[in-house]
Amino acid sequence: MFENLSMLALQQYWWVLVSVLAALFVFLTFVQGGQTLLYTIGKTEAEKTIILNTLGRKWEFTFTTLVTFGGAFFASFPLFYSTSFGGAYWVWLAILIVFVIQAVAYEYRKKPANLLGAKTFEIFLVLNGLLGTILIGTAVGTFFNGAMFSLNDLNQVQWQTPFRGLEAVLTFHNVALGLAVFFLARILGLLYFIFTVDNEAIVTRSRKQMLVNSALFLVFFLYFLVWLILKEGFAVAPENGVVSMEKFKYLHNLLQMPLVLVILLVGVFGVLWGIISTIFMNSLKGFIFAGAGTVLTVLALFFVAGFNNTAFYPSVYDLQSSLTIQNASSSKFTLVAMSYVSLLIPFVLAYIVYFWRAINSKKITDEEMKEESHVY
Amino acid sequence: MIEIADASLVDWSRAQFALTAMYHWVFVPLTLGITFILAFMETLYVKTGNEEWKKITKFWMTIFGINFAIGVATGIILEFEFGTNWSNYSWFVGDIFGAPLAIEGILAFFMESTFIAIMFFGWNKVGRKTHLLATWLTAIGANLSALWILVANGWMQKPVGMVFNPETARNEMQSFWDVLFSQTAVDKWLHATSSGFVLASVFVIGISAWYLLKNREIMLAKKSIVVASVFGLLSSVYLVWTGDNSARTIAHDQPMKFAALEGLYNGSEGAGLVAIGMFSSNVADPTNENLKDFSMKLEIPNFLSYMAFLDWDAFVPGVHDLINGNEKYGYMSANEKIERGKVAIAKLGEFKEAKKAGNDSLATALKAELTSADFQNNYFKYFGYGYFTNTNDLIPNVPLTFYSFHIMVGLGFFFILLFILSLIYIWKGTFEKKKWFMKMAIISIPLAYVASQAGWIVAEVGRQPWVVQDLMPTISAVTKISSGSVMLTFWLFAVLFTVLLIAELKIMFRQIKIGPKH
Ligand code: HEM
């Protein structure tokens, strides 16, 4: 059945899948956001234990989603994989390193004889939450602002700055996205505590933190969004693939793809409703709305970046080296083969959701921490 | 058009990949095997209802958790390192190589991480049978993860199921099944996973022996030894069998690696297998100082021919036959391959020039020529050779490959003996009286890790100078970046991983000392 799709349709299908993975990843960074709140919300050892355990049962999903995102991008758009990872070397390595230190931190923090002490592993978690979200957000910002690279005859990347990607922080629009992701992750983390923890002190403190984090999120997110709508973008001529600058390109994308505009609006509304219902209506279920809203918002942003004849990974050094979903994709054969594999994704999602609920069926409490055999 | 990176960049990039891969592989084999041991133990618990088995399962699960965390930590680097440090490679073969990596994530990693969460946190939350199922699925998920990355690795050793597309300057997939079911991939998966089973069995027996030596946790130790010895014995016999299959596949597809792992310089009919050997400092070949004489060797006549081709008298080519060529047995000389590789590279260059100049008719003609079966089989097949000038560069490090191979194989047989004795002693009830054997079992733990690392050295050092056999040499695969940057990240990883390893070992030793919860 996939064989009959056109090349472009397959490329679009895979762009949707990659976007879904990215969207799920950003949603799952509630783990990272939660980690940065460890000391703000957890005042006693027992409270910290609860926080780290409610997050600790989920951290691997975030991690695995990131890894799968990398793999799926490699399979479907290998030119992005080779260009961005090889080019923006320092950004990606910094991201990887903060995920390395996360992976051991939960398991080792409380164990006797852990060499570095509990405090160090807690700092690892805070660093992961802080840098992981900001760096990934900033890196994705370059989807809209471009990066400094060129490709040679053999499609091999030449990066044009010695900072290997770190120069992205010089563009405030990138950083604004990074900070927006960071504060969004914190909001999601707070909402997750409220949703899953049965402990007065933690829930009360989490509610209190909502206001300031939401305000900061809105500042950076709205700045990012407004500037995105106003700025010029990287358009691709469908006839010959030539890339050029177009005024209000991203606004045009939203208007020319009304469905994406709707997804974006519903998504933003979902996040806001999650926030508002928690702050003003004492709801416990804000996590669900804000989570779903996050997924939709990120999806819409990825669609704006890649669809409607737009270069999703533009080069400001050499416009014609910019990557589009057409010139960066795998061959038709690989896309078709991978598309068959993708039919298993709903099945994978179904068992993840099923077992997630089995583990989360009861709220996490102090008592449980004392009885449970595997406590972080 | 062809740019070759400077040598220090290549060396640092290789060093970093070797470092991160070897660190990762410290933790993976235990995961591959111990998850099955956990599944066996929990099955016994569910079948018998004996709480003792539950306690045992939980104890090994704690040990597994400590190992797993650092396995995950070291693994994420590898997923991205192909891009960060081998970006030219990632483009050249990404159309084939990316797919298994993605499937690994979608199908295996999620399975593993979902069911691990149930395994650790689900004891009081899901039913007994569901929990057991989760434990089994964790084991299966872990071993499936290994499948996909080994398919990818197998493809690099023996590229199949693809064709080169001059337009995009990359190889494109033509048959998914050829890639998945390539003999090399299958051999690798079976051998690498079963090596994990063996390592985990040795690990469990060794730690149990330590308890017996200390005269504590007797019940746990004995029951664990029974499970691990049976699993270990079956797996180790299977391991030797799969290793033997691997060797045959290599003899066929990577004759240079095969010659290196046996230290065979001059091929012959009815070649003997060097069971034990040692190199001297004397140069065996005046034109290549890297090839050293044996100072002593114990050879079993005709065995190598049989191992390679299942024929006691078959001709096995040596390093010299592969470099100088051997007309009688149909081996092309390296110089000829280099010439053909250069022709392929030049043709591709001409095509790119024609495209650039907008000379469409010439470009079309060149493309037709490049993609013709004749050109593919006689010239493109040797594409990678075109990067070389000195034929000596086509020979891997012989002593390192040779020693690693022999250490691995020797230990393989040693472990079989270990498992047999372990079974006999536990059967007769004399295990805890044999002090020497308990000590040997403990010492065997590091040996299992040595064998396992040696295996990867054989596979990866033995295939140099190639990242993709005959098509892409290591020197042209690397990301163009200052070697200082890679040097810096090398040291960053070296320090970080070493610190984490020390932490892991300390935690592990302490947990073993603490023992199971009573
Ligand atoms: C008589 C026993 C053995 C034989 C004949 C054997 C054979 C081989 C061969 C030929 C390779 C190279 C495969 C390649 O380059 O593609 C290999 C690789 C490897 N071996 Fe062994 N081996 C034996 C025992 C062991 C043992 C005891 C272990 C560890 C406990 C082990 C672990 C590995 C690993 C991890 C690799 C790398 C993965 C792979 O290439 O499959 N082997 N072995």
Side-chain angles (χ1 to χ4, degrees):
Chain A
M1 77 198 204
F2 287 107
E3 292 85 344
N4 301 326
L5 292 181
S6 71
M7 187 67 183
L8 182 61
L10 284 164
Q11 288 158 335
Q12 290 171 337
Y13 176 67
W14 271 94
W15 185 253
V16 171
L17 289 183
V18 167
S19 307
V20 168
L21 279 169
L24 289 175
F25 173 76
V26 176
F27 158 59
L28 290 166
T29 57
F30 73 83
V31 172
Q32 273 64 28
Q35 286 166 190
T36 64
L37 291 154
L38 178 61
Y39 295 117
T40 322
I41 304 294
K43 296 292 178 198
T44 65
E45 200 49 43
E47 287 165 3
K48 277 199 287 180
T49 302
I50 292 192
I51 289 175
L52 289 184
N53 276 277
T54 194
L55 295 175
R57 293 169 187 190
K58 299 293 176 246
W59 76 266
E60 258 187 67
F61 286 113
T62 319
F63 194 94
T64 306
T65 308
L66 177 62
V67 172
T68 306
F69 174 76
F73 230 139
F74 193 1
S76 50
F77 300 99
L79 192 54
F80 171 77
Y81 185 91
S82 63
T83 304
S84 181
F85 292 148
Y89 187 77
W90 281 112
V91 175
W92 290 109
L93 278 163
I95 291 171
L96 292 179
I97 286 175
V98 295
F99 277 88
V100 170
I101 58 181
Q102 180 204 27
V104 287
Y106 282 103
E107 187 71 34
Y108 292 180
R109 181 184 75 103
K110 268 284 195 65
K111 291 265 180 342
N114 66 7
L115 183 71
L116 304 170
K119 187 90 188 175
T120 309
F121 287 106
E122 287 165 12
I123 291 172
F124 282 0
L125 290 175
V126 174
L127 279 178
N128 167 256
L130 182 77
L131 295 176
T133 50
I134 295 180
L135 286 173
I136 289 181
T138 306
V140 172
T142 61
F143 281 24
F144 303 100
N145 292 306
M148 294 286 285
F149 65 87
S150 62
L151 298 175
N152 70 7
D153 272 358
L154 296 178
N155 272 330
Q156 297 172 335
V157 57
Q158 259 87 12
W159 205 260
Q160 304 295 341
T161 79
F163 311 108
R164 304 296 294 206
L166 290 178
E167 68 279 358
V169 300
L170 298 178
T171 306
F172 184 69
H173 196 226
N174 293 335
V175 181
L177 184 59
L179 291 170
V181 171
F182 170 66
F183 286 109
L184 178 62
R186 278 166 71 95
I187 294 171
L188 290 169
L190 293 166
L191 293 173
Y192 187 69
F193 296 152
I194 296 170
F195 186 53
T196 59
V197 175
D198 185 5
N199 176 306
E200 257 318 298
I202 292 181
V203 172
T204 314
R205 262 178 235 136
S206 300
R207 280 190 195 287
K208 255 198 214 127
Q209 277 293 317
M210 279 297 293
L211 203 57
V212 58
N213 282 289
S214 303
L216 286 166
F217 162 68
L218 284 176
V219 169
F220 291 112
F221 181 69
L222 290 178
Y223 171 83
F224 172 79
L225 200 61
V226 170
W227 183 240
L228 181 71
I229 288 171
L230 297 179
K231 80 191 281 292
E232 53 179 5
F234 301 83
V236 187
E239 334 61 84
N240 54 13
V242 171
V243 181
S244 61
M245 301 308 293
E246 179 182 321
K247 288 232 157 63
F248 298 109
K249 170 67 181 158
Y250 301 108
L251 176 63
H252 293 162
N253 282 359
L254 283 171
L255 297 177
Q256 285 158 12
M257 300 186 289
L259 183 61
V260 176
L261 180 61
V262 172
I263 297 177
L264 180 67
L265 292 177
V266 174
V268 174
F269 178 76
V271 174
L272 291 178
W273 181 249
I275 295 172
I276 291 169
S277 66
T278 305
I279 298 182
F280 299 109
M281 298 154 74
N282 260 343
S283 163
L284 294 174
K285 300 220 151 71
F287 180 68
I288 297 178
F289 292 103
T294 301
V295 172
L296 294 178
T297 308
V298 177
L299 261 186
L301 287 178
F302 266 71
F303 291 168
V304 168
F307 285 154
N308 201 31
N309 301 314
T310 312
F312 75 87
Y313 195 58
S315 168
V316 281
Y317 175 82
D318 169 26
L319 267 189
Q320 301 321 318
S321 287
S322 299
L323 307 192
T324 67
I325 63 172
Q326 278 161 294
N327 68 17
S329 90
S330 311
S331 66
K332 180 156 188 189
F333 186 93
T334 298
L335 290 177
V336 169
M338 290 303 299
S339 298
Y340 281 105
V341 174
S342 75
L343 292 178
L344 293 166
I345 292 177
F347 172 74
V348 174
L349 282 176
Y351 75 66
I352 291 177
V353 170
Y354 178 81
F355 283 101
W356 172 305
R357 294 178 56 158
I359 290 288
N360 280 35
S361 59
K362 276 190 257 137
K363 287 206 170 195
I364 195 164
T365 60
D366 240 352
E367 285 72 60
E368 189 189 339
M369 293 296 93
K370 286 171 195 138
E371 291 161 15
E372 188 55 57
S373 54
H374 200 94
V375 175
Y376 288 134
Chain B
M1 178 167 87
I2 299 293
E3 294 172 69
I4 302 251
D6 75 276
S8 85
L9 171 62
V10 179
D11 289 346
W12 280 111
S13 304
R14 281 185 70 193
Q16 177 169 320
F17 200 89
L19 175 90
T20 48
M22 288 176 91
Y23 259 111
H24 186 50
W25 191 252
V26 172
F27 313 106
V28 175
L30 183 62
T31 294
L32 295 178
I34 206 167
T35 45
F36 273 115
I37 295 182
L38 291 173
F40 298 141
M41 289 172 165
E42 195 177 335
T43 305
L44 287 167
Y45 162 60
V46 172
K47 282 254 166 237
T48 62
N50 182 347
E51 287 294 318
E52 195 73 34
W53 279 116
K54 184 174 179 185
K55 193 176 95 184
I56 296 174
T57 311
K58 280 193 166 182
F59 168 71
W60 293 111
M61 222 173 250
T62 306
I63 300 293
F64 162 63
I66 297 164
N67 176 72
F68 184 72
I70 187 165
V72 172
T74 47
I76 191 170
I77 299 297
L78 294 174
E79 179 87 12
F80 292 88
E81 217 168 4
F82 302 111
T84 54
N85 292 80
W86 305 95
S87 65
N88 292 347
Y89 164 81
S90 294
W91 174 249
F92 191 63
V93 302
D95 195 57
I96 302 112
F97 193 83
L101 248 64
I103 300 174
E104 181 183 39
I106 296 169
L107 297 188
F109 287 159
F110 275 115
M111 187 166 171
E112 208 177 346
S113 52
T114 305
F115 294 109
I116 263 186
I118 302 289
M119 204 167 98
F120 283 136
F121 306 110
W123 286 106
N124 307 320
K125 296 198 176 70
V126 299
R128 253 193 216 191
K129 291 236 167 89
T130 313
H131 192 276
L132 178 62
L133 179 70
T135 307
W136 275 101
L137 288 174
T138 303
I140 294 170
N143 283 273
L144 280 182
S145 308
L147 168 68
W148 295 103
I149 191 63
L150 288 162
V151 165
N153 181 275
W155 185 84
M156 300 164 78
Q157 315 265 357
K158 164 83 180 158
V160 288
M162 84 309 182
V163 65
F164 183 74
N165 179 351
E167 298 273 357
T168 50
R170 68 174 174 188
N171 289 285
E172 296 184 351
M173 203 191 308
Q174 288 229 297
S175 165
F176 182 74
W177 304 117
D178 281 1
V179 174
L180 177 56
F181 293 121
S182 121
Q183 190 61 46
T184 315
V186 172
D187 285 345
K188 275 192 166 288
W189 183 54
L190 297 178
H191 191 61
T193 50
S194 53
S195 81
F197 303 164
V198 168
L199 180 138
S201 304
V202 172
F203 182 91
V204 168
I205 294 175
I207 290 170
S208 304
W210 183 80
Y211 281 138
L212 291 181
L213 209 56
K214 296 273 165 204
N215 203 12
R216 49 179 287 212
E217 321 299 346
I218 308 292
M219 199 57 160
L220 175 139
K222 285 187 166 174
K223 281 187 152 53
S224 301
I225 289 173
V226 173
V227 173
S229 305
V230 174
F231 185 47
L233 182 57
L234 294 176
S235 316
S236 56
V237 173
Y238 183 65
L239 176 70
V240 173
W241 183 70
T242 56
D244 184 52
N245 280 342
S246 268
R248 202 147 28 256
T249 308
I250 293 175
H252 192 264
D253 297 331
Q254 298 177 298
M256 183 60 91
K257 184 196 271 184
F258 193 78
L261 60 80
E262 266 301 313
L264 185 71
Y265 298 143
N266 296 307
S268 68
E269 290 180 0
L273 179 124
V274 179
I276 302 174
M278 197 104 106
F279 289 97
S280 70
S281 53
N282 297 336
V283 176
D285 174 352
T287 63
N288 187 346
E289 59 188 21
N290 291 325
L291 300 181
K292 302 283 197 276
D293 263 336
F294 278 102
S295 62
M296 74 85 160
K297 66 176 169 182
L298 190 76
E299 213 176 74
I300 314 174
N302 295 71
F303 248 72
L304 195 63
S305 289
Y306 189 77
M307 183 172 168
F309 301 108
L310 294 180
D311 170 355
W312 298 104
D313 299 315
F315 176 79
V316 182
V319 172
H320 289 138
D321 304 282
L322 296 165
I323 293 295
N324 303 330
N326 185 326
E327 256 175 59
K328 180 167 169 215
Y329 295 99
Y331 291 95
M332 190 190 284
S333 76
N335 276 325
E336 174 66 26
K337 290 181 182 173
I338 290 175
E339 286 315 311
R340 291 183 181 215
K342 289 202 156 80
V343 171
I345 291 174
K347 251 313 171 261
L348 179 62
E350 279 173 45
F351 168 74
K352 288 281 169 193
E353 284 304 317
K355 282 289 269 195
K356 233 190 249 168
N359 190 342
D360 284 343
S361 59
L362 180 60
T364 315
L366 283 166
K367 185 176 174 186
E369 193 182 344
L370 274 161
T371 46
S372 71
D374 175 59
F375 193 84
Q376 290 277 320
N377 293 333
N378 292 317
Y379 293 93
F380 185 74
K381 195 175 160 197
Y382 307 104
F383 188 84
Y385 285 93
Y387 290 86
F388 291 94
T389 44
N390 182 349
T391 54
N392 284 345
D393 292 341
L394 295 165
I395 305 168
N397 185 327
V398 174
L400 186 56
T401 315
F402 175 90
Y403 286 130
S404 302
F405 181 68
H406 286 76
I407 288 171
M408 168 178 71
V409 173
L411 287 171
F413 288 110
F414 167 73
F415 295 141
I416 295 184
L417 185 71
L418 181 83
F419 294 129
I420 292 177
L421 289 178
S422 174
L423 263 183
I424 293 176
Y425 294 151
I426 201 85
W427 193 261
K428 291 215 256 75
T430 52
F431 198 109
E432 64 270 39
K433 295 190 191 92
K434 310 252 184 240
K435 271 220 159 83
W436 67 270
F437 185 71
M438 291 186 279
K439 285 188 185 148
M440 188 171 96
I442 298 171
I443 297 169
S444 299
I445 299 179
L447 294 181
Y449 285 91
V450 169
S452 204
Q453 296 285 347
W456 274 115
I457 295 178
V458 176
E460 301 302 302
V461 173
R463 71 155 137 150
Q464 293 304 322
W466 304 108
V467 273
V468 182
Q469 187 71 39
D470 293 356
L471 293 183
M472 184 171 228
T474 315
I475 42 173
S476 73
V478 5
T479 302
K480 233 184 114 202
I481 185 171
S482 74
S483 62
S485 295
V486 184
M487 186 172 91
L488 192 58
T489 51
F490 171 88
W491 286 113
L492 266 173
F493 285 126
V495 171
L496 181 63
F497 285 0
T498 306
V499 169
L500 294 184
L501 174 69
I502 296 171
E504 193 247 11
L505 289 175
K506 286 191 63 178
I507 294 172
M508 183 91 94
F509 290 148
R510 179 61 64 86
Q511 285 298 320
I512 292 167
K513 238 184 223 156
I514 293 171
K517 292 205 177 90
H518 289 285

